[in-house]
Amino acid sequence: MPVHRRPRPTIALPPASIDAGAEAADSAARLQAPGPWLMMLEGRAPWEWAALLAALPWLRRLPPGDGHPVLVFPGLGASDITTLPLRHFLRGCGYTPYPWRQGFNFGPRHGVLDATRAMVAQAAERHREKVSLIGWSLGGVYAREIAKEQPGHVRCVITLGTPFAGHPRATNAWRFYELVSGQHTDDDELLALLREPPPVPTTSIYSKTDGIVAWQCSLNDPAHPLAENVEVHASHIGMGMNPLALYAIADRLAQDPAHWRRFDAQGARRWFFRTTHEGPLAAASGR
């Protein structure tokens, strides 16, 4: 969902680029929000919390983190309370997690983006190293855009069920977003900019059984050398405490940015994870 407006491009694009952009916009427009059955499945979130508790002994066997700072963004209409399990997990892994501290996420209200930019810069200065950004749903849009603005301060970006690749109306939250943010979701030019991946390692964790966001909206272009997609079995509102999602997060945070490699879903992992090798355009056309 849109975070802010950038200056409109003034450079004329060649016909091939115009056609590709029009095709991407058309495919995004064809996407539909998840139906009633998937929305009903969002009720499994408490079971994901229970699964996390049961999986803690397994998760504690993960390699310890290096202590670098991690800023966690909540989803639309949520606050830092919802990211407590995730931040507690990160601290237990050996990282230094930070909450968003901007209250409820009701969109890019006045001062929110400036405060968030300052938090990233301050954390990087305090720790004298780059900051990893984790964003849940709309929070992932913030994480991606800040990484584009401050690549010198950002180590990597991880998003959870974030709708950056499709139209916001391919979600079941767009009306609520417009209501609480006061913004419209029909700026195709801005949406095209949001699809661009950051210039740092970027992982999108998504679920094909997401009841809020059409899963195709969460796909990075796999042709980008620093972007990837990892599929897990999770609900949207439970993704931040889903043990499979947390495992993938820990695996990604442990990567050395200078020698970054995509998530390995081979071996025993193939029973729990999938890596998507098609972009959002192909996935939308093959729905």
Side-chain angles (χ1 to χ4, degrees):
M1 293 183 183
V3 171
H4 64 283
R5 292 180 179 271
R6 296 185 182 181
R8 294 185 178 275
T10 57
I11 300 176
L13 297 176
S17 297
I18 295 175
D19 292 343
E23 185 180 3
D26 180 63
S27 294
R30 290 200 303 270
L31 287 176
Q32 296 181 357
W37 171 243
L38 289 180
M39 291 183 66
M40 290 176 60
L41 286 179
E42 288 298 306
R44 65 193 145 141
W47 296 103
E48 291 173 284
W49 164 247
L52 171 59
L53 297 179
L56 282 177
W58 171 61
L59 292 173
R60 290 194 179 107
R61 298 179 183 178
L62 292 169
D66 59 4
H68 79 261
V70 183
L71 180 58
V72 183
F73 299 82
L76 174 63
S79 69
D80 290 325
I81 293 177
T82 62
T83 65
L84 269 173
L86 172 53
R87 288 184 283 118
H88 179 74
F89 168 76
L90 294 174
R91 187 173 293 106
C93 286
Y95 298 101
T96 308
Y98 287 95
W100 188 45
R101 296 193 181 121
Q102 298 300 312
F104 287 91
N105 186 352
F106 289 144
R109 296 165 296 165
H110 178 70
V112 167
L113 295 178
D114 287 339
T116 303
R117 295 183 185 104
M119 285 186 65
V120 173
Q122 291 167 5
E125 182 178 358
R126 182 182 304 117
H127 291 266
R128 297 184 179 180
E129 60 181 324
K130 294 182 178 181
V131 184
S132 290
L133 306 180
I134 300 178
W136 193 348
S137 193
L138 176 61
V141 178
Y142 294 148
R144 289 169 59 92
E145 293 306 298
I146 289 173
K148 296 175 190 178
E149 295 178 5
Q150 302 183 30
H153 289 153
V154 177
R155 173 174 172 143
C156 71
V157 172
I158 302 172
T159 60
L160 303 171
T162 294
F164 56 82
H167 197 281
R169 297 196 180 189
T171 76
N172 286 311
W174 69 271
R175 292 182 179 85
F176 180 66
Y177 174 83
E178 290 191 343
L179 176 66
V180 299
S181 71
Q183 298 195 12
H184 295 290
T185 58
D186 55 359
D187 189 334
D188 291 335
E189 190 170 328
L190 176 58
L191 295 176
L193 293 173
L194 294 180
R195 295 186 191 107
E196 299 174 4
V200 299
T202 302
T203 301
S204 172
I205 299 175
Y206 73 98
S207 170
K208 288 188 176 180
T209 58
D210 190 317
I212 305 300
V213 173
W215 62 271
Q216 296 94 332
C217 294
S218 299
L219 295 184
N220 284 302
D221 182 353
H224 192 282
L226 294 178
E228 64 177 349
N229 307 297
V230 179
E231 180 191 348
V232 298
H233 298 285
S235 68
H236 185 85
I237 61 177
M239 199 172 294
M241 52 189 173
N242 181 287
L244 295 178
L246 297 190
Y247 180 93
I249 288 172
D251 182 272
R252 299 294 80 199
L253 291 178
Q255 289 283 300
D256 180 353
H259 304 283
W260 184 82
R261 293 183 179 180
R262 288 192 167 101
F263 185 82
D264 183 3
Q266 301 300 313
R269 290 184 180 183
R270 73 181 186 277
W271 298 104
F272 305 102
F273 304 96
R274 296 287 187 276
T275 51
T276 302
H277 299 294
E278 61 181 351
L281 180 60
S285 61
R287 184 183 176 95

